């Protein structure tokens, strides 16, 4: 993914932990409670401009978490 300049979207904490070693690809780490696919896609679409802004600012990870 890093070589292709791709963005990985994952809810897997173990996957996230493996990426902190070496040069990680860009990651959108979803930490929302169980969400159906369509609402999840809508939420990401609404947040997309801010996500891209974070990556362009140099972040390698954007964490989307529930507000408890």
């Amino acid at each position: 993914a890093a070589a292709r300049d791709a963005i990985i979207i994952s809810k897997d904490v173990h996957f996230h932990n493996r990426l902190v070693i070496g040069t990680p690809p860009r990651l959108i780490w979803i930490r929302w409670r169980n969400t159906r696919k369509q609402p999840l896609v809508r939420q990401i679409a609404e947040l997309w401009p801010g996500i891209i802004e974070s990556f362009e600012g140099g972040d390698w990870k954007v964490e989307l978490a529930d507000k408890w």
Side-chain angles (χ1 to χ4, degrees):
R4 292 175 163 248
D5 198 30
I7 298 171
I8 295 171
I9 300 174
S10 178
K11 290 183 81 174
D12 186 348
V13 69
H14 301 293
F15 183 77
H16 165 266
N17 291 342
R18 287 187 207 125
L19 289 179
V20 297
I21 300 169
T23 304
R26 294 177 298 171
L27 171 69
I28 299 172
W29 185 23
I30 299 172
R31 299 191 55 219
W32 293 323
R33 295 178 212 157
N34 289 338
T35 305
R36 297 183 71 71
K37 183 179 176 182
Q38 288 306 314
L40 181 67
V41 169
R42 279 194 299 273
Q43 289 176 313
I44 291 172
E46 289 174 17
L47 298 170
W48 193 252
I51 291 169
I52 294 302
E53 186 176 306
S54 292
F55 288 139
E56 289 174 347
D59 293 333
W60 70 271
K61 174 182 72 175
V62 173
E63 184 175 340
L64 305 178
D66 278 329
K67 292 184 175 134
W68 303 91

